[in-house]
Amino acid sequence: MLKHFLNINDVSDSDLGRLFFTARSNKNLPLSNNCVVMTCFFEPSTRTRMSFEMAALRLGARLINFDVLCSSMKKGETWEESMHTLAALSPDIIIGRTSFNLETNFFAHFPISYINGGDGSNEHPTQALLDAFTLLEHFKTDDLSRRRILIIGDSKHSRVAHSSIKLFRRLGANVTLLAPRELLDIDCPFEHFNSFKEVEGQFDAVMVLRIQKERLDRECKIDDTEYFYHYGLSLERFLNLGKKCVLMHPGPMNIGIDIETGLYEHPRSLIRRQVQNGLSIRTELLRHYLQI
Ligand code: CP
């Protein structure tokens, strides 16, 4: 692994195999150490922050959370200066989330390893790892070759989509995107559609994404009711995607907008499993970076 984990391509194929292997075999292994893990979340988070903090505690590390609202950023300090100040305190690792896309150059001489817990609309590499891990675990395979994955929703502004699509592709999957034109990642090298009617055939997995309202252009107005009518995943639509198609959502779900109430509890839903696997993957990442 590289010193910093900023993008999904920072993890090599051999590291990926090792990480997934240890995440499977070490699921319940507690360890004790004196490392200090610092979390610096400049955007709200439930799953990512809590699972990293839980992972740190499971490994016996000590935790410090940088309280952005009570920090000197409120007195005008920049993110860059705040990060260098925190690094000067010598935590063993910093895990962060930013509302803006990270500049890789910033980390060239940054003294502390940094794990990206999501940056702007750019990348969410640990989410991609847990998504791929969840699918491989479900299919009981080592790759996703010939698997068809449908991603419904805002792939344009979603950092989850940007990281997960790269990793799904590396693992051999075929991805199809479905979204209204203004929410579609047209740079994605896979087929994309604007209407459910255009989507054909059976899928192995469907991943639903919420509309990233905080990142939409001001002129882009999406009506929630209309969106649900055209793109929301209902039970009927889900059943039409394939008899064995599994359901995924990175969260947070916007119930009644991107997904029908209750569908997340379907027997073929992997949504809770994604959260559980987030803990396994992040525990292994911390174990690697803290060298324990
Ligand atoms: N999937 C994800 O990043 O969720 P949180 O925003 O709750 O961390």
Side-chain angles (χ1 to χ4, degrees):
M1 298 278 287
L2 299 178
K3 180 176 173 187
H4 305 296
F5 185 28
L6 304 178
N7 302 298
I8 192 61
N9 288 342
D10 289 344
V11 64
S12 67
D13 288 344
S14 57
D15 285 336
L16 195 63
R18 208 168 20 249
L19 181 74
F20 285 172
F21 175 77
T22 53
R24 265 192 296 271
S25 44
N26 290 345
K27 271 197 171 186
N28 299 309
L29 193 66
L31 280 174
S32 179
N33 73 86
N34 291 315
C35 297
V36 175
V37 172
M38 198 176 263
T39 49
C40 300
F41 276 62
F42 293 84
E43 252 198 10
S45 166
T46 298
R47 280 147 282 264
T48 311
R49 182 175 150 194
M50 287 298 104
S51 57
F52 265 120
E53 294 192 358
M54 187 81 181
L57 294 173
R58 282 172 101 203
L59 292 169
R62 283 171 288 181
L63 258 177
I64 303 181
N65 175 50
F66 178 62
D67 186 346
V68 179
L69 294 179
C70 293
S71 75
S72 286
M73 288 185 73
K74 287 282 153 202
K75 296 183 273 185
E77 194 158 65
T78 62
W79 175 83
E80 287 82 355
E81 186 49 28
S82 300
M83 293 301 289
H84 279 296
T85 302
L86 297 176
L89 298 173
S90 301
D92 292 279
I93 193 160
I94 297 178
I95 300 155
R97 170 172 290 186
T98 55
S99 56
F100 53 86
N101 295 7
L102 292 172
E103 293 280 349
T104 310
N105 285 347
F106 171 81
F107 292 95
H109 302 290
F110 193 67
I112 305 294
S113 283
Y114 179 92
I115 297 182
N116 181 6
D119 64 314
S121 60
N122 185 38
E123 286 255 1
H124 195 345
T126 66
Q127 179 73 40
L129 289 175
L130 76 90
D131 289 342
F133 180 75
T134 301
L135 284 174
L136 295 176
E137 183 182 63
H138 175 78
F139 295 129
K140 300 185 176 56
T141 51
D142 290 329
D143 65 36
L144 296 174
S145 52
R146 291 184 299 282
R147 299 287 177 185
R148 289 193 76 201
I149 301 173
L150 175 65
I151 298 182
I152 305 173
D154 187 2
S155 49
K156 182 174 178 180
H157 307 95
S158 165
R159 54 195 173 213
V160 173
H162 296 152
S163 291
S164 292
I165 289 170
K166 281 186 205 158
L167 188 54
F168 291 163
R169 190 176 184 212
R170 258 169 76 181
L171 291 168
N174 198 311
V175 179
T176 300
L177 302 184
L178 170 64
R181 218 170 294 280
E182 57 272 45
L183 300 183
L184 203 53
D185 179 8
I186 50 167
D187 296 329
C188 173
F190 290 108
E191 62 180 357
H192 36 76
F193 299 108
N194 300 126
S195 159
F196 251 106
K197 285 184 205 134
E198 298 171 78
V199 176
E200 287 178 352
Q202 305 283 284
F203 290 86
D204 296 290
V206 56
M207 180 186 277
V208 181
L209 302 171
R210 76 180 171 92
I211 306 168
Q212 312 281 305
K213 287 188 175 166
E214 66 277 28
R215 279 184 267 283
L216 297 189
D217 296 334
R218 222 172 262 165
E219 60 271 20
C220 180
K221 301 261 184 270
I222 306 276
D223 178 79
D224 291 346
T225 310
E226 205 174 314
Y227 181 87
F228 182 68
Y229 178 78
H230 291 290
Y231 300 99
L233 190 65
S234 60
L235 177 63
E236 189 188 345
R237 283 174 170 163
F238 176 57
L239 295 178
N240 281 336
L241 294 175
K243 282 197 175 73
K244 292 186 176 170
C245 182
V246 290
L247 170 64
M248 301 178 81
H249 196 311
M253 290 182 277
N254 286 164
I255 295 162
I257 302 173
D258 45 60
I259 190 165
E260 191 174 74
T261 311
L263 186 54
Y264 41 88
E265 303 290 5
H266 191 276
R268 280 191 270 123
S269 168
L270 300 181
I271 293 171
R272 305 290 183 232
R273 182 60 66 86
Q274 285 174 273
V275 177
Q276 289 160 352
N277 283 338
L279 179 58
S280 303
I281 287 293
R282 288 169 180 136
T283 302
E284 287 318 305
L285 276 175
L286 283 187
R287 201 194 301 275
H288 168 84
Y289 278 101
L290 300 175
Q291 299 183 326
I292 50 176

